[in-house]
Each structure stands twice: as structure tokens, then as C-alpha cells.
Amino acid sequence: MKTLNSIAIEYLLRNDSQKNNKSEDITREVIRINTEQNIKSQKSLLFHMYDLEEEAEEFFV
């Protein structure tokens, strides 16, 4: 799923590429942004799981 940032970067690079034809740069930048977003999501989920585990330990103690 594309994020707003990746769509914006893709748009800006596409407009720039009309002058220089850098479709590889567009693809590379979008992949990099999507990868960063996925890593952030995974970290958020992991931290959320840790929080739930700590709450469960406090509840059962």
C-alpha cells in the first residue's frame, strides 16, 4: 500500500523525470520509502506487543 509520502515523491520525481527520464530513480525512491514505512509499522507492532505482554503480567500477578 502506498503512503502519502511515497505518492508525493513519485509524483515529484515523475515530473522531474519528464526532463531527464529517470524512471529507475522513481522506482528506487518509492521502494526505499515503502520499505521505511514497513519497518516503522513492524516496530510499532512489536512495541505494542511488548506493552500488551507487560499489561498481562501485571494483571496476572
Side-chain angles (χ1 to χ4, degrees), residues 1-49:
M1 183 169 77
K2 290 184 178 182
T3 63
L4 185 58
N5 287 340
S6 64
I7 293 170
I9 297 256
E10 186 175 344
Y11 172 78
L12 292 173
L13 290 174
R14 186 179 301 133
N15 284 343
D16 188 46
S17 71
Q18 291 174 352
K19 301 172 190 169
N20 300 324
N21 195 9
K22 298 180 180 180
S23 63
E24 291 176 2
D25 292 340
I26 293 170
T27 304
R28 203 172 313 125
E29 186 68 14
V30 169
I31 289 172
R32 181 187 69 77
I33 290 172
N34 286 338
T35 303
E36 287 178 5
Q37 293 295 325
N38 287 339
I39 290 171
K40 288 179 182 178
S41 296
Q42 290 173 359
K43 285 182 180 177
S44 296
L45 179 60
L46 184 62
F47 288 130
H48 185 66
M49 290 173 61

